[in-house]
mmCIF file of all heavy atoms in Angstrom:
data_model
loop_
_atom_site.group_PDB
_atom_site.id
_atom_site.type_symbol
_atom_site.label_atom_id
_atom_site.label_comp_id
_atom_site.label_asym_id
_atom_site.label_seq_id
_atom_site.Cartn_x
_atom_site.Cartn_y
_atom_site.Cartn_z
ATOM 1 N N THR A 165 54.776 -176.049 77.364
ATOM 2 C CA THR A 165 55.173 -176.444 78.676
ATOM 3 C C THR A 165 54.265 -177.547 79.226
ATOM 4 O O THR A 165 52.989 -177.439 78.868
ATOM 5 C CB THR A 165 55.270 -175.301 79.669
ATOM 6 O OG1 THR A 165 53.933 -174.713 79.784
ATOM 7 C CG2 THR A 165 56.266 -174.296 79.305
ATOM 8 N N VAL A 166 54.682 -178.555 80.040
ATOM 9 C CA VAL A 166 53.870 -179.496 80.668
ATOM 10 C C VAL A 166 54.340 -179.605 82.099
ATOM 11 O O VAL A 166 55.480 -179.801 82.253
ATOM 12 C CB VAL A 166 53.890 -180.833 79.907
ATOM 13 C CG1 VAL A 166 53.003 -181.861 80.645
ATOM 14 C CG2 VAL A 166 53.516 -180.830 78.453
ATOM 15 N N VAL A 167 53.379 -179.506 82.882
ATOM 16 C CA VAL A 167 53.622 -179.648 84.400
ATOM 17 C C VAL A 167 53.212 -181.052 84.886
ATOM 18 O O VAL A 167 52.068 -181.536 84.635
ATOM 19 C CB VAL A 167 52.870 -178.597 85.255
ATOM 20 C CG1 VAL A 167 53.165 -178.858 86.582
ATOM 21 C CG2 VAL A 167 53.305 -177.170 84.759
ATOM 22 N N LEU A 168 54.186 -181.748 85.555
ATOM 23 C CA LEU A 168 53.853 -182.984 86.208
ATOM 24 C C LEU A 168 53.947 -182.866 87.704
ATOM 25 O O LEU A 168 54.971 -182.402 88.184
ATOM 26 C CB LEU A 168 54.956 -184.018 85.766
ATOM 27 C CG LEU A 168 55.030 -184.267 84.271
ATOM 28 C CD1 LEU A 168 56.093 -185.347 83.948
ATOM 29 C CD2 LEU A 168 53.616 -184.774 83.689
ATOM 30 N N ARG A 169 52.748 -183.051 88.385
ATOM 31 C CA ARG A 169 52.801 -182.989 89.790
ATOM 32 C C ARG A 169 53.170 -184.335 90.403
ATOM 33 O O ARG A 169 52.414 -185.259 90.443
ATOM 34 C CB ARG A 169 51.460 -182.562 90.291
ATOM 35 C CG ARG A 169 51.152 -181.212 90.071
ATOM 36 C CD ARG A 169 49.888 -180.694 90.783
ATOM 37 N NE ARG A 169 49.596 -179.302 90.483
ATOM 38 C CZ ARG A 169 48.459 -178.742 90.571
ATOM 39 N NH1 ARG A 169 47.374 -179.398 90.956
ATOM 40 N NH2 ARG A 169 48.357 -177.416 90.224
ATOM 41 N N TYR A 170 54.521 -184.535 90.484
ATOM 42 C CA TYR A 170 54.973 -185.801 91.183
ATOM 43 C C TYR A 170 54.415 -185.957 92.603
ATOM 44 O O TYR A 170 54.520 -184.926 93.339
ATOM 45 C CB TYR A 170 56.553 -185.825 91.253
ATOM 46 C CG TYR A 170 57.305 -185.716 89.863
ATOM 47 C CD1 TYR A 170 58.509 -184.982 89.800
ATOM 48 C CD2 TYR A 170 56.745 -186.424 88.761
ATOM 49 C CE1 TYR A 170 59.212 -184.981 88.629
ATOM 50 C CE2 TYR A 170 57.521 -186.476 87.574
ATOM 51 C CZ TYR A 170 58.686 -185.677 87.480
ATOM 52 O OH TYR A 170 59.367 -185.637 86.328
ATOM 53 N N PHE A 171 54.015 -187.118 92.936
ATOM 54 C CA PHE A 171 53.644 -187.384 94.291
ATOM 55 C C PHE A 171 54.958 -187.909 94.955
ATOM 56 O O PHE A 171 55.997 -187.253 94.720
ATOM 57 C CB PHE A 171 52.432 -188.374 94.314
ATOM 58 C CG PHE A 171 51.153 -187.567 94.133
ATOM 59 C CD1 PHE A 171 50.960 -186.977 93.011
ATOM 60 C CD2 PHE A 171 50.317 -187.431 95.156
ATOM 61 C CE1 PHE A 171 49.815 -186.174 92.730
ATOM 62 C CE2 PHE A 171 49.136 -186.649 94.927
ATOM 63 C CZ PHE A 171 48.880 -185.983 93.833
ATOM 64 N N ASN A 172 54.914 -188.900 95.815
ATOM 65 C CA ASN A 172 56.127 -189.262 96.627
ATOM 66 C C ASN A 172 56.944 -190.323 95.820
ATOM 67 O O ASN A 172 56.663 -191.391 95.897
ATOM 68 C CB ASN A 172 55.776 -189.678 98.095
ATOM 69 C CG ASN A 172 55.269 -188.560 98.890
ATOM 70 O OD1 ASN A 172 54.243 -187.897 98.631
ATOM 71 N ND2 ASN A 172 56.080 -188.104 99.902
ATOM 72 N N VAL A 173 57.946 -189.757 95.104
ATOM 73 C CA VAL A 173 58.876 -190.563 94.253
ATOM 74 C C VAL A 173 59.897 -191.320 95.119
ATOM 75 O O VAL A 173 60.426 -190.717 96.004
ATOM 76 C CB VAL A 173 59.395 -189.759 93.226
ATOM 77 C CG1 VAL A 173 60.141 -190.636 92.118
ATOM 78 C CG2 VAL A 173 58.409 -188.817 92.480
ATOM 79 N N PHE A 174 60.103 -192.586 94.814
ATOM 80 C CA PHE A 174 61.088 -193.283 95.585
ATOM 81 C C PHE A 174 61.833 -194.323 94.604
ATOM 82 O O PHE A 174 61.283 -194.707 93.565
ATOM 83 C CB PHE A 174 60.538 -193.956 96.839
ATOM 84 C CG PHE A 174 59.794 -195.191 96.459
ATOM 85 C CD1 PHE A 174 60.336 -196.532 96.767
ATOM 86 C CD2 PHE A 174 58.491 -195.207 96.038
ATOM 87 C CE1 PHE A 174 59.614 -197.600 96.429
ATOM 88 C CE2 PHE A 174 57.694 -196.339 95.614
ATOM 89 C CZ PHE A 174 58.257 -197.552 95.932
ATOM 90 N N GLY A 175 62.911 -194.840 95.135
ATOM 91 C CA GLY A 175 63.698 -195.923 94.329
ATOM 92 C C GLY A 175 65.124 -195.765 94.389
ATOM 93 O O GLY A 175 65.587 -194.950 95.198
ATOM 94 N N PRO A 176 65.802 -196.631 93.739
ATOM 95 C CA PRO A 176 67.288 -196.709 93.818
ATOM 96 C C PRO A 176 67.804 -195.315 93.366
ATOM 97 O O PRO A 176 67.295 -194.681 92.579
ATOM 98 C CB PRO A 176 67.681 -197.708 92.774
ATOM 99 C CG PRO A 176 66.499 -198.699 92.747
ATOM 100 C CD PRO A 176 65.268 -197.823 92.943
ATOM 101 N N GLY A 177 68.860 -194.881 94.172
ATOM 102 C CA GLY A 177 69.527 -193.630 93.699
ATOM 103 C C GLY A 177 69.058 -192.583 94.617
ATOM 104 O O GLY A 177 69.600 -191.485 94.582
ATOM 105 N N GLN A 178 67.937 -192.666 95.357
ATOM 106 C CA GLN A 178 67.498 -191.528 96.237
ATOM 107 C C GLN A 178 68.470 -191.503 97.358
ATOM 108 O O GLN A 178 68.942 -192.417 97.879
ATOM 109 C CB GLN A 178 66.109 -191.786 96.789
ATOM 110 C CG GLN A 178 65.511 -190.590 97.308
ATOM 111 C CD GLN A 178 64.001 -190.754 97.540
ATOM 112 O OE1 GLN A 178 63.467 -191.794 97.817
ATOM 113 N NE2 GLN A 178 63.244 -189.612 97.381
ATOM 114 N N ASP A 179 68.940 -190.198 97.687
ATOM 115 C CA ASP A 179 69.823 -189.997 98.760
ATOM 116 C C ASP A 179 69.452 -190.601 100.092
ATOM 117 O O ASP A 179 68.402 -190.253 100.508
ATOM 118 C CB ASP A 179 70.013 -188.503 98.957
ATOM 119 C CG ASP A 179 71.189 -188.162 99.783
ATOM 120 O OD1 ASP A 179 71.869 -189.070 100.267
ATOM 121 O OD2 ASP A 179 71.541 -186.913 99.814
ATOM 122 N N LEU A 180 70.339 -191.494 100.577
ATOM 123 C CA LEU A 180 69.970 -192.193 101.832
ATOM 124 C C LEU A 180 70.596 -191.488 103.079
ATOM 125 O O LEU A 180 70.239 -191.807 104.230
ATOM 126 C CB LEU A 180 70.419 -193.642 101.788
ATOM 127 C CG LEU A 180 69.669 -194.436 100.761
ATOM 128 C CD1 LEU A 180 70.509 -195.584 100.164
ATOM 129 C CD2 LEU A 180 68.417 -195.010 101.371
ATOM 130 N N GLY A 181 71.540 -190.563 102.854
ATOM 131 C CA GLY A 181 72.319 -190.036 103.990
ATOM 132 C C GLY A 181 71.759 -188.712 104.437
ATOM 133 O O GLY A 181 72.137 -188.222 105.525
ATOM 134 N N SER A 182 70.842 -188.168 103.693
ATOM 135 C CA SER A 182 70.458 -186.782 103.988
ATOM 136 C C SER A 182 69.145 -186.724 104.852
ATOM 137 O O SER A 182 68.110 -187.489 104.475
ATOM 138 C CB SER A 182 70.252 -186.077 102.704
ATOM 139 O OG SER A 182 69.437 -184.828 102.863
ATOM 140 N N PRO A 183 69.076 -185.971 105.757
ATOM 141 C CA PRO A 183 67.784 -185.762 106.529
ATOM 142 C C PRO A 183 66.628 -185.037 105.717
ATOM 143 O O PRO A 183 65.529 -185.244 106.050
ATOM 144 C CB PRO A 183 68.135 -184.834 107.683
ATOM 145 C CG PRO A 183 69.315 -184.066 107.286
ATOM 146 C CD PRO A 183 70.090 -185.053 106.294
ATOM 147 N N TYR A 184 67.054 -184.532 104.478
ATOM 148 C CA TYR A 184 66.104 -183.871 103.686
ATOM 149 C C TYR A 184 65.520 -184.924 102.577
ATOM 150 O O TYR A 184 64.756 -184.512 101.717
ATOM 151 C CB TYR A 184 66.743 -182.779 102.950
ATOM 152 C CG TYR A 184 67.138 -181.607 103.795
ATOM 153 C CD1 TYR A 184 68.488 -181.232 103.763
ATOM 154 C CD2 TYR A 184 66.310 -181.059 104.700
ATOM 155 C CE1 TYR A 184 68.863 -180.113 104.572
ATOM 156 C CE2 TYR A 184 66.707 -180.015 105.499
ATOM 157 C CZ TYR A 184 68.019 -179.614 105.453
ATOM 158 O OH TYR A 184 68.425 -178.556 106.287
#
Side-chain angles (χ1 to χ4, degrees):
T165 57
V166 178
V167 173
L168 301 178
R169 286 185 181 159
Y170 295 144
F171 280 64
N172 289 67
V173 187
F174 75 103
Q178 195 166 30
D179 193 351
L180 292 149
S182 160
Y184 298 125

